[in-house]
Amino acid sequence: MPMFVYVEIMLSSLDKLVAWVLTGFLAILTIFFNVYLLLINQRNYRKSTKHRLNPADFIITAISLASMSLQVLMYLWQTLDVIDTVCRISLAGAILLVLIFSLKFIMFWSTAFLTFYYGTKLVMEPVHCFTRFQEAIVKHVHMALAVIVVSGFANCVPLLSVLTYYNGTSSGLSDCGSIMPTDTTGLAYVFYYGIISDIVPGIIMVKCSISISYHLAKHLLDMKASSNGAHGPKLGTQMRVIKMTLSLVVVYVVFLIVDIFTQMTVVLMRRNTLALTILFASIYTTVSASVLVYGKKSYWKELIATYNLFLAEYPCLSSMKVKEVKT
């Protein structure tokens, strides 16, 4: 009996159409959550006496801009993939792919940077060389994000030499532009991109989440011991930020597993599942944006209040109201 079972994965025109419709729906949700984040951060910027966002809000603003841009480009690529069945404008699809992978790089590293920032602020350790290095990065948030943006585009420009501008066949099942390297150099670059854009940010996020979880557990035990167990320790807003950070890591790890699998089917098995990669990336941008909104208690409360106020204008929709928690 064979040790491995080979499963052939091919996407039909109907499958691509369904993925395109789902991506459009997810794009609406992604843009909604991210526009809300941008509006709140802009209001905070105007209210600030120094007209300056705090580092966390600045990083979240960068993530929101990258997420919306990524979602729009992914929807445009899928639109071309569905409509242009004979690959007349395959070069446009290839360019869109390069921009998509550049923005994915920027978004993933910005999210890892946000996790790194919260890990530096929430974890209190004795001052040594590593913590000084962390503090130096956190003090220069703007420069760090600029480096991430430049690196995102710089690392993805060689992707143009790897892309196949025309993969169309008589069956009409293949993508017009896809990542199917034909030589060893192209394959090595694809693996390099996967490591530098997906795996390394994931390692940073997992490391920070483990550090946060360990020190949180230790802090809670110390608080419980100091109160002799009279009452449970409460961290309030800080606890919500910790939950948000850990949730971002969990969402990213789940997406990373799926994304690596779909990319392997494209690169190694040479299957046209790139539309699935785009769809899963759309799901990730939507979920991560909602986690960012929920992680800020004031943001979430204001969103719920606005939502209920909107439903109040339509009595027939009153049953859809969300209960507001008063503290």
Side-chain angles (χ1 to χ4, degrees), residues 307-323:
Y307 171 76
N308 289 335
L309 186 62
F310 171 77
L311 293 182
E313 299 293 329
Y314 305 94
C316 58
L317 301 177
S318 58
S319 59
M320 298 175 61
K321 287 186 176 181
V322 178
K323 184 179 179 181

Side-chain angles (χ1 to χ4, degrees), residues 223-242:
M223 291 178 64
K224 187 175 181 180
S226 63
S227 61
N228 295 322
H231 58 80
K234 298 179 180 180
L235 295 178
T237 305
Q238 191 179 31
M239 191 65 188
R240 197 179 187 94
V241 171
I242 292 172

